[in-house]
Amino acid sequence: MLTGEILRNRYKIIKLLGSGGFGDTYLAEDLDLPNHPKCVVKHLKPNSDPTVLQIVRRLFDSEAQVLYRLGNDSDQIPRLFAHFEEQGQFYLVQEFVDGEDLSQEISPGKRLTEKEVIKLLQEILEILAVVHKKNIIHRDIKTQNIMRRHQDSKIVLIDFGAVKEVNTMMVNAQGQTSVSVAIGTHGYMPSEQAAGQPKLCSDVYAVGMLGIYALTGLQPHELPKDPTNGEIIWRNWANVSEKFAGVLNKMVSYHFRDRYPSAVEALQALTPQQPQRRPPPPPASKPQPQPILNLSRRRVIQIAGWTVAGISLAVIGERLLSLFKSGNRNTTPTSSNSLQTFQFETVTVDAQGKINNRSNREAKYFVEDLGNGVTLEMVQIPGGTFTMGSPEGEAQRDSDESPQREVKVAGFFMGKYEVTQEQYQAIMGTNPSNFKGEKRPVEKVSWDDAVEFCQKLSQKTGRTYRLPSEAEWEYACRAGTTTPFYFGETITTDLVNYNGNFPYGAAPKGEYRQQTTDVGKFPPNSFGLYDMCGNVDEWCQDIYNSNYQGAPTDGSPWLSGKDNNVKLLRGSSWYYLAQSCRSAVRSGYSRENRNYIVGFRLVAAALA
């Protein structure tokens, strides 16, 4: 249609607002009403097959009645003023919403706070609940289809996808009708909707993805998915409470049966409950382990399985503390004179990820015999002082990496590699790993499993083995560097096993292996330690705290905090993007959980 054209001697076209596969949308004015108020005209262009036209006509009338009804039920859904057909073309005339769509509030690279996103989702779900109570599916929830009205700043839901079916109707040789393409937008559209079987919870998925977009600044189609179960990975970029993260994860679950059935239930989950007048009675039985407690905004770790530790948490805590305190005692007759030396090459890269320097280095180590030809190599880490945490100017840092502080660390030994599957098998008699391989790191081990491994290894060898403190881990990882990575300003997948689809800084995209690799495959840091970033996350002794206020400065573990069940992970994994591999990145994870991206590395006392 052309500017100035008049439909039905009443609706004068002002300008084109947008075009799509279903047709065009125009701004118009109603000449029959005083002051010629503005309205929106949608021109739908169906297939011209006569049989299809007959079917579309029925569908069009039916959907128009739905839109009439919705507009009367809420002032936050544009009213439908008229619908008509002319020469096989279909037209809808709707209320004009004077406002801006949510792409003005939510845009790439912009992040809203948890409080802001919760409020926004509540506003959207309140309208959508009205729609869902009538068993109507919107099918195209996205920022462009949600308006913020200038008059009262209320959210208005526009552009229901149902009417778009008029352009996708097909008729086969038997005269049966079908919809040829799914209605929706890539990234916001869940699997069942993409398969042409949308449900009310499909809209819930789209709202959840919109919320994640608002939190992360990443558009829904840019977010990676877990290759094993299709779940969205998003917490790498977001700082949210565990409760809100749980709601969002349920909203965007891959399987529709795992989501909230409709906007009504999703809204209830986001609405604070009134406090009870009296506390509920205690549970009759021991509570089951709670879902993952990842208090870092960077990560989401999909739960691979739950187990109940066979050792008392109190006993483990006491033993772990005693193990650390004995860290300065030499528990075996081995002396520093018995150490061996190994040579290795280190590399550094420029801001684009290109290697700009190679250095030959050497370090001392000892070998522990675990039996049956399996050995453990422990590298000597000299004592020293370093700045722990990240500077405020470091790109993509998080607040829990602050404040920076000077920490003095005594010398110790650390595993040259992450504990491998053959080493774990030699001590524990089992191999829980998802990605099998003797030289690959063991994974799917809980914090308690790792502590038990240390205890059994200590009993077998007579030497005290334990998990590193968080300060020891970062000191060993940095190996004297102050850059985001021990390779320099960035990394590449030639140097680290991580999700290469998401590079850091000016580095190029790289390989996403989607699994662990053998330890020692990539260059080590200057201390001679391999895979300190990437491959698998590594347990530390410490309790997770949301910042470094009050943290020890002597290299000892921080064993006080809000929740002893939430322990530290360091180092990132094959699963995560480059930014999560920075030397300062830290995460909290429930101690009893096992996951195929989590392993550990050992520390032993310094030799006399």
Side-chain angles (χ1 to χ4, degrees):
M1 291 186 292
L2 300 176
T3 299
E5 184 175 349
I6 300 176
L7 296 173
R8 289 204 156 187
N9 297 316
R10 178 171 183 176
Y11 304 109
K12 182 179 180 180
I13 302 300
I14 298 175
K15 64 178 180 178
L16 177 69
L17 293 176
S19 297
F22 68 95
D24 304 316
T25 302
Y26 298 87
L27 179 65
E29 56 183 358
D30 190 341
L31 302 179
D32 279 6
L33 296 179
N35 300 321
H36 299 172
K38 292 178 181 177
C39 59
V40 172
V41 174
K42 293 186 178 181
H43 176 202
L44 310 177
K45 305 173 183 178
N47 188 305
S48 59
D49 184 283
T51 306
V52 173
L53 281 175
Q54 184 178 0
I55 299 168
V56 167
R57 189 173 290 111
R58 291 200 302 268
L59 176 63
F60 181 70
D61 289 338
S62 174
E63 297 298 345
Q65 296 306 317
V66 169
L67 294 176
Y68 280 125
R69 194 166 79 247
L70 285 175
N72 292 329
D73 289 336
S74 173
D75 68 345
Q76 291 172 266
I77 299 172
R79 288 172 292 168
L80 182 64
F81 295 140
H83 76 288
F84 52 90
E85 175 188 352
E86 287 186 357
Q87 298 180 339
Q89 304 293 299
F90 298 83
Y91 300 87
L92 294 169
V93 181
Q94 288 185 283
E95 177 185 4
F96 170 69
V97 179
D98 184 15
E100 305 282 353
D101 67 47
L102 285 191
S103 61
Q104 303 299 311
E105 299 179 29
I106 304 172
S107 58
K110 180 180 179 181
R111 299 186 186 185
L112 302 185
T113 66
E114 175 176 337
K115 184 177 180 180
E116 290 171 332
V117 175
I118 289 176
K119 182 177 183 298
L120 178 62
L121 295 191
Q122 287 174 332
E123 290 180 281
I124 297 170
L125 289 170
E126 284 174 357
I127 310 169
L128 195 57
V130 174
V131 178
H132 283 186
K133 285 177 181 178
K134 296 184 178 296
N135 205 33
I136 296 169
I137 309 169
H138 185 283
R139 284 182 259 193
D140 204 14
I141 300 288
K142 57 183 178 181
T143 55
Q144 296 91 332
N145 287 342
I146 303 173
M147 304 287 291
R148 177 77 70 183
R149 192 161 53 198
H150 287 155
Q151 177 184 356
D152 53 12
S153 295
K154 286 186 176 182
I155 289 292
V156 179
L157 191 59
I158 67 171
D159 203 11
F160 282 72
V163 297
K164 297 178 184 177
E165 287 187 7
V166 298
N167 193 50
T168 61
M169 296 296 295
M170 301 291 289
V171 180
N172 62 21
Q174 288 73 39
Q176 298 172 320
T177 63
S178 64
V179 178
S180 60
V181 296
I183 296 169
T185 300
H186 179 54
Y188 294 94
M189 183 167 49
S191 56
E192 75 276 3
Q193 186 173 336
Q197 297 179 317
K199 307 178 187 305
L200 296 178
C201 64
S202 303
D203 284 346
V204 173
Y205 179 96
V207 176
M209 291 304 299
L210 188 148
I212 290 172
Y213 179 16
L215 286 169
T216 64
L218 291 175
Q219 298 183 78
H221 69 272
E222 297 177 317
L223 290 164
K225 294 183 179 181
D226 187 328
T228 64
N229 57 24
E231 299 292 352
I232 299 295
I233 303 170
W234 61 273
R235 289 189 69 184
N236 309 43
W237 302 271
N239 180 11
V240 296
S241 67
E242 195 60 27
K243 181 178 180 181
F244 185 40
V247 172
L248 282 178
N249 282 335
K250 188 174 179 67
M251 291 178 74
V252 301
S253 291
Y254 179 81
H255 293 290
F256 66 86
R257 294 183 183 88
D258 297 330
R259 295 185 217 128
Y260 299 105
S262 74
V264 176
E265 291 81 5
L267 179 60
Q268 290 173 347
L270 278 176
T271 303
Q273 300 298 310
Q274 294 297 322
Q276 298 178 340
R277 295 190 177 184
R278 53 188 299 180
S285 59
K286 183 178 179 180
Q288 293 299 308
Q290 295 300 306
I292 172 175
L293 295 174
N294 181 348
L295 304 183
S296 166
R297 30 279 127 255
R298 265 174 267 65
R299 309 239 172 143
V300 57
I301 303 178
Q302 298 299 333
I303 299 168
W306 300 101
T307 60
V308 178
I311 300 176
S312 161
L313 299 184
V315 172
I316 289 175
E318 291 173 3
R319 290 184 181 178
L320 182 59
L321 184 58
S322 66
L323 285 175
F324 183 85
K325 289 181 176 178
S326 67
N328 292 324
R329 293 203 308 266
N330 179 23
T331 57
T332 73
T334 304
S335 71
S336 58
N337 294 329
S338 64
L339 294 178
Q340 304 177 50
T341 301
F342 71 100
Q343 284 78 38
F344 54 93
E345 182 184 70
T346 63
V347 302
T348 59
V349 299
D350 61 20
Q352 287 72 43
K354 296 179 180 179
I355 294 176
N356 57 13
N357 185 57
R358 296 180 183 270
S359 299
N360 293 318
R361 298 178 180 269
E362 64 179 31
K364 293 184 177 182
Y365 74 111
F366 71 83
V367 178
E368 195 79 78
D369 185 359
L370 304 186
N372 297 320
V374 179
T375 59
L376 171 68
E377 296 176 73
M378 300 294 294
V379 178
Q380 186 179 42
I381 307 299
T385 300
F386 80 112
T387 301
M388 188 171 180
S390 63
E392 291 187 3
E394 186 167 301
Q396 300 183 40
R397 70 185 296 272
D398 283 293
S399 60
D400 68 347
E401 301 164 16
S402 298
Q404 280 191 302
R405 68 200 197 288
E406 294 297 305
V407 178
K408 185 176 182 179
V409 179
F412 58 96
F413 282 82
M414 178 172 264
K416 185 177 184 180
Y417 311 112
E418 295 154 331
V419 172
T420 64
Q421 294 175 33
E422 66 175 1
Q423 291 167 345
Y424 195 85
Q425 178 77 43
I427 300 301
M428 304 296 284
T430 61
N431 179 12
S433 304
N434 182 66
F435 303 109
K436 300 298 184 184
E438 290 184 348
K439 301 298 183 183
R440 293 190 183 200
V442 66
E443 12 93 7
K444 294 183 69 175
V445 288
S446 69
W447 185 88
D448 298 303
D449 293 335
V451 170
E452 184 179 2
F453 178 93
C454 293
Q455 293 170 340
K456 289 187 175 182
L457 179 61
S458 299
Q459 293 170 0
K460 179 181 178 67
T461 64
R463 176 185 300 280
T464 299
Y465 284 95
R466 57 176 172 80
L467 297 177
S469 70
E470 183 185 15
E472 286 174 332
W473 191 97
E474 185 171 327
Y475 174 74
C477 175
R478 288 189 178 278
T481 63
T482 58
T483 48
F485 309 88
Y486 53 79
F487 291 106
E489 294 296 331
T490 190
I491 53 175
T492 69
T493 54
D494 292 331
L495 305 176
V496 178
N497 182 14
Y498 65 95
N499 185 343
N501 292 320
F502 298 89
Y504 185 87
K509 287 187 177 182
E511 183 178 2
Y512 179 27
R513 297 176 177 87
Q514 302 187 48
Q515 59 184 305
T516 59
T517 51
D518 286 356
V519 298
K521 177 181 174 66
F522 302 99
N525 68 7
S526 294
F527 281 158
L529 301 174
Y530 292 78
D531 296 309
M532 288 297 286
C533 56
N535 218 14
V536 292
D537 271 297
E538 300 176 15
W539 288 114
C540 293
Q541 291 188 41
D542 306 55
I543 293 173
Y544 176 85
N545 286 274
S546 60
N547 57 57
Y548 286 135
Q549 295 287 352
T553 58
D554 61 356
S556 62
W558 197 1
L559 300 180
S560 61
K562 292 183 178 180
D563 192 345
N564 185 47
N565 287 321
V566 183
K567 298 296 186 178
L568 251 298
L569 286 177
R570 284 301 206 120
S572 196
S573 75
W574 59 268
Y575 193 68
Y576 290 116
L577 61 168
Q579 74 174 66
S580 297
C581 295
R582 292 178 298 108
S583 298
V585 169
R586 53 201 301 268
S587 291
Y589 190 31
S590 184
R591 65 190 291 167
E592 66 266 358
N593 290 342
R594 297 183 171 97
N595 196 280
Y596 51 51
I597 65 173
V598 178
F600 64 104
R601 190 184 300 258
L602 298 173
V603 160
L607 302 180

